[in-house]
Amino acid sequence: MANFFFDLKVSDATVDQTNADPGTNSAAVLPGSQTLSVDGVDLTVSVPLFMFPTTGATVIVTNGATLDTPDLLFATTGADQIPGKLLIDGTSSATVNQFTGPVPNGGTVKLNVEFGGDGDGSFTYVSSGITSPIMINGMSAGDSIHVPNATFMQFNYDPTSETGTVHFVSGALPVTMSIQGMPASVGNVIAADPQSYFTNGDFVMPVCFLKGTRLRTPRGDVAIEALQAGDQVWGQSGWRTVKWIGWRKYRVALLRTDDERAATLPIRIRQHAFAASMPDADLLVSPWHHLWLDGVLVRARCLINGRTIVQEPRTEWVEYYHVELDQFDVVIAHGVYSESWADGGNRDFFQNVAVSELRPQDRKRRRADRPGFAVLRDPVAEAALREKYAARAMSLPSVEAPIAVANG
């Protein structure tokens, strides 16, 4: 383990694979207005002296890095305070631990968190007292926020400012987070049924198969809800062992607007949409679920063409499932390779998890790695795939989608 000392009043600092060791590294950091970058490694921070600047630090966590730090790293003092920023990029994660009691020497913590990249980042806030609102920007599908041992109390959404405000109670202490830049297509969905999105202080968007989806096993194609730990399914790398099955259920009647339904209702991929017998029967997945096409993982919602790939409007309940394997892989679902669950430590999102049995390392979101697979996020490349399958759709007979078998 490497040990560092940085003075952010003097200069920027970087911890990456060139100067860090495998595993968790540590750094004593004096707060200042400069930038600390944690790039692709794990770092635990301590703040040894309580002398705070008027301008807060910028802390960047990128390339799958993890950061564990006291909130004192972001403390400022003086009449003209300029808050710092915590930037969580891509699949990186950061845990901020609140200082017990008042911030020393008249300091104030105004925590501004910004997500970058295209989802799967994680922010955890460990509360020890009454907090001022925590400002969060840039959340996208797959990004998550966590308040360990907290109880969800209330969520309010203001479409004018595109701000969602969530209230937790950690012990007897309130924690408030203001999620800014939240589009109505997300905010209204959450406001319609917040209990379906906030579980045990955690919030993450669904990325799952629909109930009834059949996966390839040694005994034939089996519905995902009928699988059990220890079963085998066919992956791109061969037979893989099921480690765990998670599920979550939504009541569609609580989704009041088109935007709300667009963010939650399943995508129907009609038979032969990609090629002959791909899929071999209609496949339904969540809008955020990745399919493996042309050597890349692409979200289903990016492929909608209004003909062979459509949003399913006719159902009362939606029940999503995900399968975790002994290692990440793509599995055959109705003749199409689709992603298994990439464990980012957000197991609490699913309704069937035994929360009391989770280990501490399970409650901390880890890197949601998809080793060996490229994830497509380029809008131009996504458009090219969409146009490819839209062109194929024109050569296929026009069909009406049957009513979705999504009721649980």
Side-chain angles (χ1 to χ4, degrees):
M1 180 178 72
N3 300 298
F4 302 93
F5 175 80
F6 301 123
D7 187 347
L8 295 185
K9 294 190 294 294
V10 176
S11 63
D12 296 339
T14 298
V15 181
D16 59 21
Q17 294 179 355
T18 66
N19 59 3
D21 293 333
T24 301
N25 301 272
S26 65
V29 181
L30 300 183
S33 60
Q34 304 302 311
T35 298
L36 170 64
S37 297
V38 185
D39 187 348
V41 298
D42 300 336
L43 183 69
T44 297
V45 166
S46 62
V47 178
L49 295 176
F50 302 148
M51 301 299 294
F52 305 116
T54 58
T55 300
T58 297
V59 180
I60 301 172
V61 191
T62 188
N63 288 326
T66 67
L67 171 71
D68 193 299
T69 181
D71 65 350
L72 296 178
L73 182 60
F74 303 94
T76 55
T77 190
D80 300 319
Q81 300 170 356
I82 302 175
K85 179 186 295 184
L86 171 61
L87 175 60
I88 302 170
D89 186 50
T91 61
S92 302
S93 64
T95 297
V96 174
N97 303 281
Q98 187 187 20
F99 184 76
T100 303
V103 177
N105 298 321
T108 300
V109 176
K110 295 182 179 179
L111 194 54
N112 292 315
V113 180
E114 183 173 327
F115 285 90
D118 297 292
D120 293 332
S122 173
F123 169 65
T124 299
Y125 184 73
V126 181
S127 173
S128 64
I130 298 175
T131 63
S132 58
I134 300 167
M135 313 301 288
I136 298 177
N137 280 278
M139 287 195 77
S140 60
D143 289 329
S144 61
I145 56 177
H146 307 264
V147 184
N149 303 313
T151 300
F152 165 71
M153 298 299 294
Q154 186 178 13
F155 175 83
N156 300 306
Y157 180 66
D158 181 354
T160 302
S161 62
E162 293 192 328
T163 299
T165 303
V166 57
H167 302 276
F168 299 103
V169 171
S170 179
L173 305 171
V175 177
T176 300
M177 293 187 178
S178 178
I179 307 172
Q180 301 178 326
M182 178 181 283
S185 60
V186 175
N188 288 332
V189 169
I190 299 169
D193 186 17
Q195 294 289 347
S196 290
Y197 289 87
F198 294 94
T199 305
N200 302 310
D202 297 339
F203 166 52
V204 66
M205 289 294 288
V207 188
C208 307
F209 290 105
L210 201 68
K211 182 180 181 180
T213 300
R214 294 176 289 104
L215 304 187
R216 186 70 47 83
T217 78
R219 63 183 188 273
D221 289 352
V222 176
I224 191 170
E225 65 271 20
L227 293 174
Q228 298 179 1
D231 287 343
Q232 288 192 312
V233 295
W234 182 257
Q236 190 269 342
S237 62
W239 292 111
R240 301 253 57 95
T241 300
V242 174
K243 181 178 177 182
W244 181 72
I245 303 288
W247 58 266
R248 191 167 188 85
K249 191 172 182 178
Y250 300 89
R251 184 182 179 187
V252 174
L254 296 175
L255 308 177
R256 296 185 294 266
T257 70
D258 289 342
D259 284 342
E260 294 169 0
R261 288 184 284 272
T264 304
L265 288 175
I267 304 298
R268 178 180 291 275
I269 303 165
R270 290 176 174 155
Q271 186 180 25
H272 312 308
F274 301 132
S277 297
M278 289 183 58
D280 55 21
D282 285 11
L283 173 66
L284 292 102
V285 297
S286 82
W288 314 102
H289 190 82
H290 289 87
L291 306 167
W292 195 49
L293 300 168
D294 289 8
V296 295
L297 290 168
V298 59
R299 287 170 174 163
R301 70 184 183 96
C302 299
L303 300 172
I304 294 174
N305 59 34
R307 188 176 174 91
T308 56
I309 305 172
V310 297
Q311 189 124 42
E312 175 59 54
R314 294 174 289 177
T315 183
E316 296 178 3
W317 292 87
V318 176
E319 194 164 358
Y320 286 121
Y321 281 72
H322 231 324
V323 56
E324 182 183 16
L325 306 178
D326 53 344
Q327 70 178 49
F328 179 82
D329 207 339
V330 290
V331 296
I332 292 183
H334 297 200
V336 175
Y337 276 115
S338 301
E339 68 171 346
S340 63
W341 185 47
D343 183 4
N346 58 327
R347 199 180 301 272
D348 282 5
F349 167 75
F350 296 97
Q351 287 175 228
N352 64 313
V353 70
V355 176
S356 62
E357 297 177 3
L358 290 178
R359 300 167 298 168
Q361 56 265 41
D362 287 325
R363 294 197 57 84
K364 178 181 177 182
R365 185 178 174 88
R366 303 180 298 279
R367 304 174 193 174
D369 291 333
R370 297 177 174 90
F373 293 89
V375 180
L376 189 63
R377 291 291 186 268
D378 178 18
V380 175
E382 289 173 345
L385 272 182
R386 184 167 56 251
E387 291 168 5
K388 172 182 176 179
Y389 297 119
R392 173 175 171 77
M394 298 305 295
S395 66
L396 299 176
S398 178
V399 294
E400 290 294 326
I403 295 177
V405 183
N407 298 335

